[in-house]
Amino acid sequence: MSLHAESPGRAPTAAVIGLGSMGFGMAQSMKRDGLDVIGYDITPAAVDRFAAEGGRCAETPAAAVQAADIVVSVVVNAAQTEAILFGPGGVAGAMKPGAVFISSATMDPAVARDLSQRVEALGFHYLDAPISGGAARAAKGELTIMASGSAKAFAAARPALDAMAAKVYELGDAAGTGAAFKMINQLLAGVHIAAACEAITFAAKQGLDLDKVYEVITASAGNSWMFENRVPHVLAGDYTPLSAIEIFVKDLGIVQDMARAERYPVPLVAAALQMYLGASGAGMGRDDDSSLARLYAQLSGAKLPGMDKA
Amino acid sequence: MSLHAESPGRAPTAAVIGLGSMGFGMAQSMKRDGLDVIGYDITPAAVDRFAAEGGRCAETPAAAVQAADIVVSVVVNAAQTEAILFGPGGVAGAMKPGAVFISSATMDPAVARDLSQRVEALGFHYLDAPISGGAARAAKGELTIMASGSAKAFAAARPALDAMAAKVYELGDAAGTGAAFKMINQLLAGVHIAAACEAITFAAKQGLDLDKVYEVITASAGNSWMFENRVPHVLAGDYTPLSAIEIFVKDLGIVQDMARAERYPVPLVAAALQMYLGASGAGMGRDDDSSLARLYAQLSGAKLPGMDKA
């Protein structure tokens, strides 16, 4: 997070495609760090929010990237990333020669490798750079980024990486490796949320004191980052989405597809994915991912905090 | 860990039934804390080891408990606990009136409740007190104990609890609650070990740098206590049993049986249990529980550290 505005020469120009909860914070962090930032989002409300904070916005993705040294793509998945690049009005036809495309969506490593080859064939650099940390850390420029790509891609992306991240893991010189690391993290995160919900609702079914269960487990060998982070939502009966069920419908779906293609069995992922699908099918897809606890409760008659209100 | 030898009056006498890796350390901790300890184990080698460290041993469980104010049962499961109490030569026929039986085996809460009622009907106290922390912490008197039972049971057990544990959770006045908390912990621990092995071997299958995966995941939202603790065994290719596959064959089996009886679905436990069963069936039952990684490797052709030696 060095101040590039104070460096000799012109500050780099960065285009941010996607101004949702993550992209908004990443754009703000780069602006704060002295980069010349221009944003784009398909949703007018997202554009308005960025403009209200003094952000400069473009009317189309192509217009946003025309003068950019760095393009940061902060969209939901591989399909949106491909559309941004190669769809009608895609940025691949508008980027400056030598610019770098930083792709932060979670995706199958094989797709990241394919996109990188197509982008590099056009004379641009590609950095495979999935992000982790949530909206609050995005706003503070304290994300974790799991990145791989050529030395030139890293060099071109550096001002943006420095502004957006507290920690950049440099995982190799080929696109796909960053994506693969992110998928390993998502495999574990998705299974651990499901395990946390299976466990805390089983405790409720037995009539245990759930606050005490939280206290004991977080101090014991059964703890996980996700148990510690998500179970408080269940204890508060508050399923306001911080990260939604549909995120893991998507991400465990990617893991399962990757594993199937590689002939690798993932019984825990498969079991967890069925629960996310069930929660989505039962109408909770846009609710917080800790809603798996409500699904376990519905399936078993267990009583969770806040359920008396229903 | 107060020094009871320095308290006014006679130091309490504690009998330890089961001098395995946990019971040995617990007996040592009580001896160090000034209790008058007498041990018993069915295995002569375990008795010899305790005697070699200056421990006093009895020839039979009944002889061990005759003068004991406190009986600490450190056996593997509910069946062994029942046999110690009510089998031929069982201690229930030999304990002093008013003595407390501290049961530390992991078991179904319903069984703990049943045992406690039968023990209390004979005029003894019963403390449902599963332990957590491993052999090293047992030896240092730094276990975590998840305990429930009557106020009189807690009072009678106090000198032993103080000597054996760094932390005693007092979870209620009825036996079964301690066991239920332990089962919630085992549910999570067993699933997290399986998830860790599914993830790290999937990373190996993709040819990722496994040391780097460990570094990134332990700093990310995918982390768990078990990932952090067990994956180093996989990275070292060292499956020397610290805790064996068979422990979770047993403990997830208990969780699954409890859940079935209560009509509560546990899809993650069920998937993990199948993997522990597969590892046991493939001949790894007495190896470290991180051997699940070797099972995933066998099923997928992934190469893990140390496998070239095979």
Side-chain angles (χ1 to χ4, degrees), chain A residues 71-91:
Chain A
V71 178
V72 186
S73 169
V74 200
V75 294
V76 169
N77 56 24
Q80 288 188 7
T81 307
E82 186 174 24
I84 285 291
L85 276 166
F86 302 110
V91 304

Side-chain angles (χ1 to χ4, degrees), chain B residues 147-163:
Chain B
S148 67
S150 68
K152 285 183 177 170
F154 270 109
R158 187 65 60 193
L161 298 177
D162 287 348

Side-chain angles (χ1 to χ4, degrees), chain A residues 185 198 222-223 225 264 268, chain B residues 185 198 205 222-223 225 264 268:
Chain A
N185 186 67
E198 187 164 305
N223 196 27
W225 194 98
Y264 183 87
L268 274 82
Chain B
N185 185 68
E198 187 164 306
K205 175 77 177 172
N223 196 28
W225 195 99
Y264 183 87
L268 274 82

Side-chain angles (χ1 to χ4, degrees), chain B residues 93-183:
Chain B
M95 280 169 65
K96 285 204 308 187
V100 59
F101 185 86
I102 303 179
S103 173
S104 65
T106 298
M107 66 180 72
D108 186 323
V111 176
R113 281 189 289 273
D114 174 63
L115 289 176
S116 109
Q117 284 164 10
R118 293 163 66 190
V119 166
E120 289 173 352
L122 296 171
F124 311 123
H125 303 297
Y126 184 98
L127 197 71
D128 173 19
I131 53 181
S132 169
R137 284 172 56 192
K140 286 191 275 188
E142 294 179 359
L143 290 173
T144 295
I145 301 185
M146 304 178 191
S148 67
S150 68
K152 285 183 177 170
F154 270 109
R158 187 65 60 193
L161 298 177
D162 287 348
M164 298 187 296
K167 176 74 184 174
V168 178
Y169 289 106
E170 303 196 10
L171 300 169
D173 58 8
T177 308
F181 271 70
K182 180 72 191 290
M183 293 323 305

Side-chain angles (χ1 to χ4, degrees), chain A:
Chain A
M1 281 175 283
S2 51
L3 287 174
H4 293 279
E6 296 175 6
S7 315
R10 179 181 70 80
T13 297
V16 178
I17 311 296
L19 297 168
S21 60
M22 299 299 288
F24 178 79
M26 291 156 74
Q28 294 282 59
S29 294
M30 287 194 285
K31 216 151 61 82
R32 197 171 52 240
D33 222 30
L35 279 76
D36 184 16
V37 177
I38 180 162
Y40 170 80
D41 198 288
I42 199 168
T43 310
V47 170
D48 292 348
R49 181 168 71 141
F50 187 58
E53 298 276 333
R56 192 156 61 93
C57 292
E59 295 284 318
T60 66
V65 306
Q66 259 165 356
D69 307 293
I70 301 165
V71 178
V72 186
S73 169
V74 200
V75 294
V76 169
N77 56 24
Q80 288 188 7
T81 307
E82 186 174 24
I84 285 291
L85 276 166
F86 302 110
V91 304
M95 280 169 65
K96 285 205 309 188
V100 60
F101 185 87
I102 304 179
S103 174
S104 66
T106 298
M107 66 180 72
D108 186 322
V111 177
R113 281 190 289 273
D114 175 63
L115 290 177
S116 111
Q117 284 163 10
R118 292 163 67 189
V119 166
E120 288 172 354
L122 296 171
F124 310 122
H125 303 296
Y126 185 99
L127 196 71
D128 173 20
I131 54 182
S132 169
R137 282 172 57 193
K140 287 191 275 188
E142 294 179 358
L143 290 173
T144 295
I145 300 185
M146 305 177 190
S148 67
S150 68
K152 286 182 176 171
F154 270 109
R158 187 67 58 195
L161 298 177
D162 287 348
M164 298 187 296
K167 176 75 184 174
V168 178
Y169 289 106
E170 302 196 11
L171 300 169
D173 58 8
T177 308
F181 271 71
K182 181 70 192 290
M183 294 321 308
I184 297 293
N185 186 67
Q186 296 308 92
L187 182 168
L188 289 160
V191 169
H192 292 168
I193 291 168
C197 293
E198 187 164 305
I200 197 69
T201 314
F202 190 40
K205 176 76 175 173
Q206 296 173 72
L208 303 183
D209 176 338
L210 300 189
D211 292 319
K212 201 79 188 171
V213 170
Y214 184 75
E215 179 193 346
V216 172
I217 293 297
T218 52
S220 298
N223 196 27
S224 70
W225 194 98
M226 281 297 178
F227 185 96
E228 199 159 337
N229 185 268
R230 296 305 204 270
V231 169
H233 305 177
V234 179
L235 300 182
D238 182 357
Y239 300 94
T240 307
L242 297 182
S243 178
I245 287 284
E246 287 297 343
I247 297 291
F248 280 105
V249 168
K250 169 176 75 71
D251 288 356
L252 291 189
I254 296 172
V255 173
Q256 193 175 75
D257 288 347
M258 287 170 63
R260 181 165 51 183
E262 298 186 36
R263 300 296 184 265
Y264 183 87
V266 284
L268 274 82
V269 166
L273 178 55
Q274 296 307 308
M275 296 307 290
Y276 287 101
L277 289 170
S280 179
M284 296 181 270
R286 291 170 179 276
D287 293 345
D288 192 68
D289 52 27
S290 60
S291 294
L292 288 187
R294 288 190 291 172
L295 178 63
Y296 280 101
Q298 287 178 14
L299 292 172
S300 66
K303 284 275 190 300
L304 290 173
M307 286 183 62
D308 298 333
K309 288 181 283 184

